[in-house]
Amino acid sequence: MSGISNVHGQMYILNEDFSTASGNTPPAGWNSYSANGQTSDVWQFNNPGGRVINFPVLPPFAMFDSEFTSVNGNPEEVVLESPAFDASISNFIILKLDQTFFQGTGGSGRIEAFDGSEWSLITEISSSTSNPLSDIIDISSVVGGVTNAKVRFTWFGNGSGYWALDNVAIFAPLPIDAGLPELDNPTLPFNTGVKDIKVTLGNYGYQTLTTTRIKWSVNGVQQPDYIWNGNLSIGTRQENITIGTYNFTPEPADFKIWQEQPNGQQDLNPDNDSIVKTLQAALCGEYTIGGTSPDFATFTQAVSVLKTVGISCPVVFNVRDGAYCENFMLNDISGSSESNTITFQSESGDSTAAVINSPLGVSIITLRNVNNIKFSKLGFNSNQWNDIFTLSQHCHDISIEHCFFAEAYSKAVNVFGTSTDTIRSINVINNNITTIN
């Protein structure tokens, strides 16, 4: 959506979260097109490759996924252009956005602004990010005071990498407005133990920021304040400010980090002052599912934590005897590798005793963009309409060993996808199954 609005005295000129977009159709007034390459190379809003993109980038968001969208082998230059907006209300104008960028093989991004007659380069992006970055960029020199300004985002690549954007905002800043856009450390996955707590401080105001107080608490317990002193001009950030340390255990910890009294004055825009996040060390070692006093009551609970925190060493889930009626999806587990594998196995070793029953009409386990996973000595009870395993999009090194399939099914292991999928190293060993496709 666009139009001027006032939030805590801050004048928003354009504010777009792409909630009205779908497929490859952008929001009203936005334009997506190929400047070089095949005409079908356009930004999409449905995450075509099923990438795991973390908060605060939330679906639907804008994305060009070169690997899953452009399949002709030719270079891409793909543009997402904003509608025109009136920036004449101030000579100071800031662009704010949340973005995740994966360079792949030689991919890059370019952010430009239009002053009513020509486009000017604002910044170029070529470094991959493991999590979304909340960026603030001063575009005053190009669009400040301009009545028909625009911004655009251009992807350059060739069949590899992606760029995801969300929460694009153009606003006229207040005189004094500091904020905390990022928690820089720890980043997932991380081990237990003492870790530095690092944040990014940003200046969202047009006056230079020279001091502020950063406060924080863990599980409601106040930690020592950090007094920051420095020099940040409009639209600039200082990253990796160490405000203290914390000793992480396997249990989740609720963090709140906020800043107050920038330049010794009240901050009139509290919306960007705080970071609130639950942090948990990555999984490592053996865990139990089901039974009495388990680490995880269900597969769904275990998989939810696995996808959230990742792994930092090989992980084994020992499944206790019982019937589990559930289904789940695994994709893009942080930290998994040839050495850091994930295993789901029966604790008793009896594949007929630890059994997953399929909910009607769905696959029990969907694997998408995932690798180095083994299922061993488990039972699966489906019906004739359900596949047991569904694999798609870049799965490899998947092992299904010594499992028992109790009922009729459409396919035990259903492998499907598109010409861009890579499904390899699927090992199905000594199971009582006959249908693999």
Side-chain angles (χ1 to χ4, degrees):
M1 59 182 177
S2 59
I4 296 175
S5 61
N6 188 305
V7 180
H8 293 107
Q10 195 172 66
M11 300 299 294
Y12 276 82
I13 303 166
L14 182 145
N15 205 350
E16 184 57 68
D17 62 5
F18 302 104
S19 60
T20 61
S22 64
N24 60 3
T25 303
W30 287 75
N31 190 17
S32 176
Y33 60 92
S34 175
N36 182 30
Q38 61 186 18
T39 56
S40 60
D41 286 350
V42 293
W43 286 73
Q44 298 196 18
F45 305 89
N46 58 355
N47 194 0
R51 308 289 187 176
V52 175
I53 308 293
N54 295 324
F55 182 85
V57 177
L58 297 173
F61 49 82
M63 186 174 205
F64 187 77
D65 193 329
S66 178
E67 188 173 0
F68 286 91
T69 302
S70 181
V71 296
N72 67 342
N74 294 326
E76 311 121 5
E77 183 179 341
V78 188
V79 180
L80 179 63
E81 185 177 306
S82 79
F85 54 85
D86 185 353
S88 62
I89 61 172
S90 177
N91 290 325
F92 301 102
I93 303 293
I94 285 179
L95 164 66
K96 180 171 72 73
L97 72 155
D98 298 317
Q99 60 178 324
T100 293
F101 186 88
F102 177 61
Q103 183 185 35
T105 305
S108 64
R110 183 179 296 170
I111 300 176
E112 297 170 291
F114 183 67
D115 66 0
S117 60
E118 63 181 2
W119 290 94
S120 297
L121 175 66
I122 300 299
T123 187
E124 290 189 273
I125 303 166
S126 59
S127 298
S128 298
T129 62
S130 57
N131 279 299
L133 294 179
S134 296
D135 281 336
I136 51 173
I137 304 170
D138 179 19
I139 57 175
S140 305
S141 62
V142 179
V143 305
V146 173
T147 58
N148 59 335
K150 296 181 183 181
V151 292
R152 69 183 181 190
F153 309 89
T154 305
W155 164 270
F156 297 87
N158 190 350
S160 177
Y162 58 86
W163 191 8
L165 304 172
D166 202 5
N167 307 314
V168 176
I170 309 288
F171 64 90
L174 298 163
I176 297 177
D177 181 12
L180 297 176
E182 300 287 348
L183 175 66
D184 298 314
N185 194 74
T187 59
L188 297 173
F190 63 89
N191 298 322
T192 57
V194 177
K195 307 294 179 187
D196 288 338
I197 308 302
K198 300 181 180 182
V199 299
T200 291
L201 175 67
N203 183 13
Y204 296 81
Y206 62 77
Q207 292 186 7
T208 298
L209 181 66
T210 58
T211 186
T212 193
R213 179 183 297 270
I214 301 176
K215 305 173 75 71
W216 60 298
S217 65
V218 185
N219 297 328
V221 179
Q222 192 77 24
Q223 307 295 314
D225 293 354
Y226 177 85
I227 305 301
W228 176 87
N229 294 287
N231 191 295
L232 290 178
S233 59
I234 176 176
T236 60
R237 306 159 21 129
Q238 182 178 333
E239 300 175 346
N240 293 308
I241 300 170
T242 302
I243 62 172
T245 61
Y246 185 74
N247 186 15
F248 286 91
T249 69
E251 299 301 315
D254 295 326
F255 276 71
K256 180 179 180 181
I257 308 171
W258 69 101
Q259 70 82 36
E260 58 184 37
Q261 293 294 305
N263 289 355
Q265 302 181 39
Q266 180 181 0
D267 193 323
L268 298 179
N269 177 26
D271 290 346
N272 55 21
D273 287 347
S274 301
I275 298 169
V276 178
K277 186 170 289 191
T278 298
L279 295 176
Q280 186 172 2
L283 298 181
C284 179
E286 296 196 9
Y287 301 88
T288 54
I289 295 177
T292 303
S293 301
D295 295 304
F296 303 101
T298 64
F299 282 87
T300 301
Q301 185 184 89
V303 167
S304 176
V305 174
L306 182 65
K307 292 195 289 188
T308 300
V309 305
I311 67 175
S312 60
C313 79
V315 168
V316 176
F317 293 101
N318 292 305
V319 183
R320 289 171 173 165
D321 291 351
Y324 303 84
C325 185
E326 51 187 317
N327 66 295
F328 57 89
M329 173 187 285
L330 286 166
N331 56 351
D332 278 359
I333 305 302
S334 298
S336 69
S337 64
E338 291 183 4
S339 58
N340 286 354
T341 58
I342 302 166
T343 300
F344 293 86
Q345 66 182 23
S346 167
E347 185 179 59
S348 69
D350 185 347
S351 62
T352 66
V355 179
I356 310 177
N357 297 301
S358 172
L360 183 64
V362 295
S363 299
I364 292 180
I365 300 173
T366 300
L367 303 178
R368 190 176 187 184
N369 296 332
V370 73
N371 53 68
N372 303 298
I373 293 183
K374 182 170 74 173
F375 300 88
S376 178
K377 298 180 181 178
L378 294 171
F380 298 94
N381 187 1
S382 182
N383 63 67
Q384 61 180 336
W385 306 112
N386 294 9
D387 301 327
I388 305 299
F389 289 88
T390 299
L391 283 68
S392 67
Q393 296 181 351
H394 299 265
C395 292
H396 64 83
D397 296 294
I398 309 297
S399 294
I400 303 167
E401 302 178 0
H402 309 289
C403 292
F404 181 78
F405 295 77
E407 298 292 340
Y409 41 77
S410 175
K411 296 181 181 69
V413 182
N414 189 3
V415 179
F416 73 96
T418 70
S419 60
T420 61
D421 291 345
T422 301
I423 310 293
R424 62 180 176 84
S425 301
I426 310 302
N427 302 310
V428 183
I429 301 172
N430 294 335
N431 304 290
N432 68 320
I433 60 177
T434 57
T435 57
I436 301 171
N437 187 31

